[in-house]
């Protein structure tokens, strides 16, 4: 259930940001984070897809802080994803 919710949140985040202007650096950070989260929750990921979840959570918190002022909905979505990742203990 939590993995599906994280996937829903990532989709929601992409849709939220599609209609807004974010700088290229933030966009790259989001894309990398998205890939890492997908790898972390993918049951079929191979050994090479091992992701340091603490690093992913730290980068997600950085992204959340960047969104807090200009993109509060995106910040909330990132916060919920962080909470789920931590609770799942991936």
């Amino acid at each position: 259930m939590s993995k599906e919710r994280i996937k829903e949140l990532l989709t929601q985040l992409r849709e939220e940001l599609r209609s807004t202007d974010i700088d290229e650096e933030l966009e790259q950070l989001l894309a990398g984070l998205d890939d890492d989260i997908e790898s972390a929750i993918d049951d079929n990921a191979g050994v090479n897809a091992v992701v340091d979840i603490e690093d992913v959570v730290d980068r997600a918190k950085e992204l959340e802080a960047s969104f807090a002022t200009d993109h509060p909905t995106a910040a909330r979505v990132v916060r919920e994803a962080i909470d789920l990742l931590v609770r799942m203990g991936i």
Side-chain angles (χ1 to χ4, degrees), residues 49-82:
V50 174
V51 176
D52 180 0
I53 196 62
E54 289 180 17
D55 183 47
V56 172
V57 169
D58 287 344
R59 286 187 294 130
K61 287 179 181 178
E62 198 177 304
L63 190 64
E64 177 193 19
S66 297
F67 287 151
T69 302
D70 296 328
H71 309 287
T73 302
R76 180 194 54 76
V77 171
V78 172
R79 167 52 45 204
E80 188 174 342
I82 291 167

Side-chain angles (χ1 to χ4, degrees), residues 9-26:
L9 289 170
L10 291 173
T11 299
Q12 183 180 353
L13 183 60
R14 284 186 219 108
E15 289 173 3
E16 174 71 25
L17 295 175
R18 189 172 297 138
S19 62
T20 63
D21 283 334
I22 60 172
D23 63 39
E24 188 175 324
E25 182 181 344
L26 205 52

